[in-house]
Amino acid sequence: MYENFGFDFVFKNLNFSSPIGEKFAQNYFESLITNQKELLKNFNAIEKINLLNPNELEKIKLTLSHIPNIENIINKIKFLEILDEIDLFEIKLFSIFSQELLEMLKNTSIIDIFNLKDLTNAIQLLDPNDEKVPTFYIYDSYSPELKKIREQKYNCKDEDLYLKLSLKEKEIEHEICKYLTQKLTDYVENLEHNSYTIGFLDLTIAKAEFAKLYNLSKPKINKDFYIEHKQLFNPEIEEDLKKKNKKFQRIDIKLNNGTQVITGANMGGKTVLLKTIALSQLMFQLGFFVPSENSNLPLFDEIYFVSGDYQDIKLGLSSFASEMIIINNLYKKFKRNKKLLILLDEPARTTNPGEGKAIVKALVKLFNKNNAITVITTHYDNILCDKIRHLRIKGLKDVEKIEKVESFQDYFDYSLEEIKDSAVPKEAIKILKLLKLDNEIITMAEEVYNNEK
Amino acid sequence: MIDKLKKYKVISVVGLEKNTGKTETLNYLLKKLCSKYVVAVTSIGVDGEEKDQITFTNKPNIILDPNTFFVTTENFFKRKTFLSEIYYVSKRKTATGRVIIAKSLKRGKIILAGPSTMEWLKKINEKLFNLGAEKILIDGALSRISSASPFISEAVVLATGASVSLDINKIISKTLDLVYKMNLTVTKFSYLFDNSENGFFGYNGKKSEKIANSILNFNDFEKLKSYGIVYTSGALTKSFLSKLINNKIKLELIVKDFSKIFVSKDDIRLFETLGGKITVLKKPNLCLITVNPLSPYGYKIDDEYLISKISEQVDIPVINIRKVDQNV
């Protein structure tokens, strides 16, 4: 659902220490956090982890890296499916390192957030000889009978007897597995609690490191339903530009409830802006810090970013039809009073401008209600009216000075200004010149445009 | 004989063909080494099936003494009948389940199975050393001579024998062919090329550059005349070497190691007579050749003749694995 937000980049750059962390994150990212308390818990945890001493953090990560994912085994215990030797080994390994982690966290400020339960009893059960090593087998000490059978078996020379004793040994071992599984039901709640807590810890460490690496900021939460970013940036695009020795121009923006229309030249970063608003809101509601200097954000039930060419080949729909169906679906949710962030990137651009303009105008008006923040970018003229906010990307300065299209970005001002008139910037022909198109095309376009005016 | 293996930590056992007694060789080495060292035994791919999957002949099991580390996969681990202690379970899976490292607590038979790639095998070996293993024996599975690559193993034991051919002279020539390739000279010029990168590279006296992604389908032999030394990270094929010979190209051709060479000793010699040279980045330490005089179909060859003929050409021990085994 959020595939065009650029969240892949974030996920790819999260470094998990344990397989539990990665699995936990995949589940955790399935839905937006809409509960303020849960979000604050996330932000608080990230802050505290960033305050840990680096050596301490490395030790915690090292311990995490030893912990196996026991999700399937927990389910087996719950359904009383008998665990085998390998399962029991993994439970023991989990318990030992979970306990080690608990001892480590006890001396830190994060113990109240990541409150691991004591698993000493489970460890004792699986370490009957008190050897304190992370290995396992069905120990003789579980049953005197087993001990006796094994002694006989490994001392016998007769092959038939050896086989018989092997069978008997297997039988007793199975009984012991059954007993141990039964016993572990007493600790399954704590195992599950710790598995969740370890996953949350690993994810939070990954988030904290990501926040440090990309200089993200802790957002504030508002109930007045507005979005405000100071110096918003897109970490992925900023990094790409850096590699090319270019700078990402960070943007200040405030969005109110109701509709706002953003206009600006082609190549003016409208799509990037919407995408970045979508990404930062998604990150926020998945408990991340956000890519800005300072942000104040509300909680939405859902976030929509509708952009680009949707072409549903299976249904045989054109990009126009696919886009309209998506907008229709979100409009249904909007009518049901869901709190939505709606970001429409040049809707109806692929149809004829006459009707396209009418459709956009309708959307602007219909979405202008209090339960949503709607942003629509467009090139169409005259869709603005009194009640609708109009933001414009400042755009090109000194077109004449630009020599190469590659240096175009250096002359572009991506910042926004709120304007009162309803005119849309006319920069398309300027850009044709910049792209060094055949002169005939440019002259003809200018002629036609001036005549129609 | 075992003294020769003393200084090596990772030893690979490879068979020239199926049923050349590789498993017996492994058992023999295990028996010899286990009394002196903490030994771990692993493999690449599945091996040690009770029945040979191709010829349906009986194969001996790998026999472990107590306190030997072994690597196998979940499915085979569950079938074992002796007591062993689990040390490690991998996250990744093979076709027969996760990879398990365990230590035998009693004597028993095991079917070895292992990680499915060379990189993974390297990681498992690191784990084994961390757990306290002092020697690692790798059972190279069918057509997996690659585990003998000097980039994985420090030493190699080669098993050969009657199953290679009915004709004793063929067995000798095939064995010596491989030994020849294992003994190719190590290049003095490895520093000229970035060995971590894949491709076909050339050095023109000033600098080295990438000529092509691979030698497969490479045809611009005129261009090659400007290089004195070339390096290929991939396989050296017969067709490529023939083209070099036909185009009268004289250069030093560096190959990663012997396991990448798919041409015969005679081809290499012809190339060298014409002024060329084939070298390797790394050379395996071939320590021992074992001979199995029995073919899986029941006939037997003259092992003493075979051993004496091979011994003439190599200065390492050549032994009849069956005779030695009886003496132990």
Side-chain angles (χ1 to χ4, degrees), chain A residues 275-300:
Chain A
K275 188 176 175 168
T276 308
I277 294 168
L279 177 67
S280 54
Q281 188 67 34
L282 177 65
M283 287 173 73
F284 167 66
Q285 290 199 249
L286 296 177
F288 283 86
F289 281 9
V290 294
S292 73
E293 229 160 62
N294 205 318
S295 295
N296 201 329
L297 303 167
L299 293 168
F300 294 101

Side-chain angles (χ1 to χ4, degrees), chain A residues 84 90 135-136 150 153-154, chain B residues 81-83 85-86 98:
Chain A
D84 64 22
E90 292 207 291
T135 64
F136 184 77
R150 280 180 177 163
K153 177 184 159 186
Y154 292 107
Chain B
T81 56
F82 64 99
L83 194 60
E85 184 173 10
I86 306 174
R98 291 171 293 178

Side-chain angles (χ1 to χ4, degrees), chain B residues 89-326:
Chain B
V89 180
S90 73
K91 288 164 212 157
R92 262 170 86 180
K93 276 187 179 174
T94 69
T96 49
R98 291 171 293 178
V99 170
I100 294 183
I101 297 177
K103 192 161 94 179
S104 60
L105 297 173
K106 301 282 181 198
R107 190 177 157 87
K109 293 174 183 174
I110 185 69
I111 293 174
L112 291 178
S116 40
T117 65
M118 298 307 275
E119 298 82 69
W120 195 2
L121 178 65
K122 264 190 179 171
K123 284 199 180 129
I124 292 287
N125 285 353
E126 271 168 38
K127 273 243 145 55
L128 287 167
F129 284 131
N130 286 338
L131 292 173
E134 293 166 334
K135 300 260 178 219
I136 296 177
L137 286 174
I138 304 174
D139 183 7
L142 172 63
S143 76
R144 284 297 198 149
I145 231 156
S146 56
S147 67
S149 157
F151 290 92
I152 293 276
S153 306
E154 295 168 355
V156 176
V157 173
L158 175 66
T160 185
S163 70
V164 174
S165 168
L166 280 171
D167 176 355
I168 194 159
N169 289 316
K170 258 212 171 117
I171 304 172
I172 294 166
S173 79
K174 273 199 163 181
T175 308
L176 291 175
D177 193 89
L178 185 63
V179 171
Y180 178 84
K181 284 184 263 180
M182 284 181 163
N183 282 328
L184 282 173
T185 324
V186 174
T187 181
K188 292 184 184 117
F189 303 107
S190 65
Y191 64 89
L192 293 175
F193 304 99
D194 175 8
N195 304 331
S196 61
E197 214 186 315
N198 285 334
F200 181 36
F201 305 86
Y203 178 76
N204 58 15
K206 284 180 196 131
K207 60 177 173 57
S208 70
E209 57 196 19
K210 196 169 194 166
I211 307 170
N213 286 329
S214 126
I215 60 164
L216 298 171
N217 303 322
F218 180 83
N219 273 314
D220 191 2
F221 288 91
E222 270 312 301
K223 191 179 171 188
L224 278 190
K225 290 186 175 158
S226 58
Y227 301 106
I229 307 168
V230 294
Y231 162 65
T232 174
S233 64
L236 171 61
T237 60
K238 196 176 161 83
S239 84
F240 182 76
L241 191 63
S242 307
K243 284 181 202 162
L244 286 183
I245 292 169
N246 294 341
N247 286 285
K248 301 200 172 57
I249 289 168
K250 298 172 194 171
L251 41 65
E252 178 178 341
L253 170 58
I254 308 170
V255 186
K256 213 166 181 178
D257 66 60
F258 82 97
S259 68
K260 302 278 187 192
I261 300 177
F262 294 91
V263 298
S264 71
K265 175 176 144 189
D266 295 342
D267 297 327
I268 298 174
R269 282 199 162 157
L270 179 59
F271 180 59
E272 295 192 333
T273 331
L274 295 171
K277 196 174 174 192
I278 292 178
T279 56
V280 291
L281 289 182
K282 241 181 170 180
K283 181 177 155 178
N285 292 300
L286 182 60
C287 290
L288 172 69
I289 296 176
T290 63
V291 165
N292 176 13
L294 287 176
S295 113
Y297 305 106
Y299 61 87
K300 190 174 175 298
I301 53 163
D302 180 352
D303 57 303
E304 278 173 20
Y305 176 73
L306 181 63
I307 290 173
S308 73
K309 278 288 167 192
I310 297 173
S311 294
E312 275 172 23
Q313 306 279 332
V314 298
D315 54 2
I316 51 163
V318 184
I319 57 171
N320 178 341
I321 198 67
R322 300 221 160 225
K323 280 191 183 160
V324 175
D325 218 18
Q326 282 157 13

Side-chain angles (χ1 to χ4, degrees), chain A residues 5-10 12-13 210 214 233-243 248 275 279 291:
Chain A
F5 286 36
F7 187 68
D8 284 2
F9 173 80
V10 177
K12 232 176 37 212
N13 282 289
F210 184 78
Y214 287 94
F233 66 97
N234 188 305
E236 182 178 10
I237 299 172
E238 188 170 82
E239 194 171 83
D240 278 352
L241 287 174
K242 220 182 210 165
K243 280 181 201 150
F248 186 94
K275 188 176 175 168
L279 177 67

